[in-house]
Amino acid sequence: MTPMTAGEGTPRTTAPPAGSAKRALVGRLSWGLADQAASSISNFAVGVYVARSLGVTAFGVFSLAWLTYGVALNVARGLATDPLVVRFSGVPEATWRSAAARSSGAALGVGAALGAVCLLIGLGLGGRVGPAFACLGVVLPALLLQDAWRFAFFAAGAGRKAFVNDLVWGVALVPAMVVAARVDSVAAFVLAWGASAAVAAGYGCFQSGIRPRATGTRGWLREQRDLGYRYLVENVSLSGASQLRAYGLGAIVGVGAVGAVRGAELLLGPFLALLMGLSLVTVAEAARVLRRAPHRLNRFCLLLGGGQAAAALLWGGALLLMPDRAGAFVLGDVWPSASQLIVPATLGVAGAGLGTGAAAGLRALAAARRSLRCQLFASACYVGGGLGGAAVAGTVGSAWGVAAATVGSSALWWLQLHSASRERHRNTISEVRTS
């Protein structure tokens, strides 16, 4: 039997004083921002180092491996760690430790299964892409376990531990990237990236004092199936849309176009990394807001989404003012093609940031059907806009198509959050009248 979700009539508890509650919230969000900053810097450094070392075509191959990792990451999050954050945020420590052991074990099992698939595909493909996928298959379990610890720490309100874990990964990346640069191949960079994640994943076991229980995977999936399978479809549709767009863009325009898009994403890296890991902080915090002050949930989500959108627009404006010499220093040969995508990429990230605020609210309400509906619509628009734009106007057209799709989909997220909040309010009134 699983604990009730935030949207399932959680019993009321005595609320802490307003001042201390706000300080605690600010503290948790601060560690969340610090953790995302560490993750952003690591991702940005890896991308820049690989882009400068390999050139636009080989960087496109690395980007395909990176996007495939994103699909696997979202599978693990949907099945293993999203339910952990929704249902086990702010619970007693003993309950959290049991759930974290099974959740991390499930993430490790997903990594092993998907890693085996990537390894077989890589061995079958050969050429430039094959070795990169084979190496991704080897390191995928470590990558997913490291991410699982981050979710577990934020569910426990221990964002500092997640931050330290990402710092360990960043430090381990330095010697690993230097060694990979000497080998000078995409496969070597993928192995170095994954090996450094393995160091952080092992350190996560030490930090938590928990050993992942892979034997509890089946029980965890069974207990969380009402949320997990919907979150799986939702998350995979998100990352799968990116994958389809990348493969389609490579087929329509060329692999170099994939590298150009990835280069533009690197320039907006801090916000993209924040969006990818947003549920680490915001879903847990939205669940706490819902428990303590349900009427403040929509305002919390609006501040969250609006703040991200505004920050993305400011960052994009700063990128437009960056001299070509500085851009070439950062991305090397990738800069000329990536710089043409700054405006549409910025608008797309701003739209996604606004929508993610509403998505956090839907997750906190455990409105899995509504969030799934939104994500499937958004993913379809993303693929359609990206590939349709590519067919009409190449790489730049694809970027504008994605921007339009993302901004339009954001409106649906907010409509669904508004409807879910009203539905919960009506149900609460009905329960009070009949009790």
Side-chain angles (χ1 to χ4, degrees), residues 254-414:
V255 178
V258 180
V261 170
R262 177 60 186 153
E265 291 174 348
L266 280 174
L267 295 173
L268 289 156
F271 300 99
L272 289 171
L274 183 64
L275 292 177
M276 286 180 64
L278 190 64
S279 59
L280 293 173
V281 185
T282 55
V283 174
E285 293 307 323
R288 289 185 175 96
V289 170
L290 185 62
R291 286 190 179 98
R292 295 169 181 170
H295 61 284
R296 295 180 180 173
L297 177 65
N298 286 13
R299 180 185 177 189
F300 172 81
C301 294
L302 181 60
L303 290 173
L304 175 68
Q308 286 186 99
L313 292 174
L314 288 174
W315 184 267
L319 290 175
L320 291 173
L321 300 176
M322 186 166 66
D324 287 339
R325 182 179 300 177
F329 176 78
V330 173
L331 293 180
D333 295 337
V334 179
W335 166 253
S337 53
S339 62
Q340 301 176 38
L341 311 180
I342 290 175
V343 173
T346 298
L347 293 176
V349 172
L354 185 61
T356 304
L362 286 174
R363 287 272 173 112
L365 288 164
R369 290 184 180 180
R370 291 183 182 274
S371 62
L372 175 59
R373 192 180 306 146
C374 290
Q375 190 55 66
L376 290 176
F377 175 80
S379 298
C381 291
Y382 182 93
V383 174
L387 298 186
V392 173
T395 309
V396 175
S398 178
W400 277 108
V402 165
T406 305
V407 173
S409 300
S410 177
L412 180 62
W413 283 104
W414 280 101

Side-chain angles (χ1 to χ4, degrees), residues 152-179:
F153 292 142
F154 278 110
R160 180 180 60 83
K161 291 186 177 180
F163 171 70
V164 172
N165 193 275
D166 269 328
L167 280 184
V168 169
W169 189 3
V171 171
L173 267 171
V174 175
M177 288 289 115
V178 171
V179 173

Side-chain angles (χ1 to χ4, degrees), residues 25 33 37 41 91 106 145 206 212 222 232 238 261 338 366-367 389 402-403 410 419 421 435:
L25 171 62
L33 291 173
I41 291 170
V91 299
L145 180 58
F206 172 78
R222 183 174 60 252
L232 168 65
L238 172 63
V261 170
V402 165
S410 177
S419 297
S421 297
S435 60

Side-chain angles (χ1 to χ4, degrees), residues 64-111:
L64 291 177
W66 184 287
L67 288 169
T68 303
Y69 154 71
V71 175
L73 184 68
N74 280 294
V75 170
R77 286 182 175 181
L79 292 176
T81 49
D82 280 342
L84 175 75
V85 172
V86 171
R87 285 188 161 144
F88 296 92
S89 292
V91 299
E93 183 179 358
T95 304
W96 170 81
R97 290 181 67 84
S98 175
R102 290 182 295 152
S103 174
S104 59
L108 192 59
V110 169

